[in-house]
């Protein structure tokens, strides 16, 4: 498995599916269970650092590398009449642009997952607090 296959088949679908789980409009119990599931995945720690922050850092580094690749000066064609050289340069440029957009999407997905996860945890905690306060007042 190449590096870009790993990025496309692992680093993209994982935050996308987890973000859908966290932000789906579900009943309270189902929403809490989904948040617990995401918490078990996102809350996993690698050497004291949450795994989501590790992936955000990796995605940011990838984005920075692809930004640099994208804005490198163009190479000159040694023989302007050779169509193969021109097509090679265009294909390389197209791949760099594609990889840039993939890396920016992956970075946005991981950041979006982290933010929505934190917000959902906060909403669930506030709902529990409100329910307990309402329960105390009604007694």
């Amino acid at each position: 498995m190449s590096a870009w296959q790993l990025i496309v088949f692992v680093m993209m679908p994982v935050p996308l599916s987890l973000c859908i789980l966290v932000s789906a409009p579900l009943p309270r119990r189902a929403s809490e269970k989904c948040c617990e599931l995401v918490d078990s995945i996102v809350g996993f720690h690698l050497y004291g650092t949450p795994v989501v922050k590790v992936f955000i850092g990796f995605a940011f580094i990838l984005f920075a590398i692809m930004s640099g690749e994208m804005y490198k000066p163009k190479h000159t064609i040694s023989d302007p009449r050779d169509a193969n050289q021109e097509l090679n340069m265009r294909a390389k440029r197209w791949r760099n642009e594609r990889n840039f957009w993939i890396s920016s999407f992956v970075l946005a997905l991981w950041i979006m997952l982290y933010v929505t996860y934190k917000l959902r945890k906060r909403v669930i905690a506030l709902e529990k607090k409100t329910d307990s306060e309402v329960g105390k007042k009604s007694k």
Side-chain angles (χ1 to χ4, degrees):
M1 183 178 267
S2 73
W4 281 104
Q5 284 178 332
L6 176 73
I7 290 164
V8 170
F9 295 129
V10 174
M11 285 197 60
M12 197 180 301
V14 169
L16 184 61
S17 59
L18 293 177
C19 197
I20 289 170
L21 271 178
V22 168
S23 62
L26 299 170
R28 180 178 293 175
R29 296 295 279 166
S31 179
E32 288 174 3
K33 291 297 178 189
C34 286
C35 199
E36 287 174 11
L37 173 70
V38 172
D39 190 31
S40 68
I41 296 169
V42 172
F44 183 73
H45 285 63
L46 290 173
Y47 301 109
T49 306
V51 72
V52 69
K53 290 183 180 181
V54 171
F55 280 117
I56 288 173
F58 180 71
F60 181 75
I61 290 169
L62 183 69
F63 175 74
I65 290 170
M66 290 290 75
S67 296
E69 286 291 319
M70 180 103 159
Y71 292 108
K72 274 185 180 177
K74 293 182 180 177
H75 299 287
T76 57
I77 300 173
S78 59
D79 186 8
R81 294 170 290 167
D82 188 8
N84 286 334
Q85 285 184 355
E86 184 178 348
L87 286 176
N88 264 346
M89 282 186 49
R90 285 186 182 183
K92 188 173 185 178
R93 177 96 175 145
W94 184 84
R95 278 191 305 273
N96 286 339
E97 288 176 9
R98 177 202 64 194
N99 292 344
F100 169 78
W101 288 111
I102 289 171
S103 64
S104 62
F105 184 62
V106 166
L107 177 63
L109 278 175
W110 280 104
I111 291 172
M112 189 169 55
L113 170 66
Y114 185 66
V115 170
T116 55
Y117 163 71
K118 287 292 190 184
L119 286 173
R120 180 54 101 180
K121 275 184 69 171
R122 189 172 169 198
V123 165
I124 289 172
L126 288 173
E127 284 176 347
K128 286 181 180 178
K129 182 180 176 185
T130 304
D131 286 347
S132 66
E133 288 176 1
V134 169
K136 287 179 185 177
K137 286 183 182 179
S138 65
K139 290 182 181 181

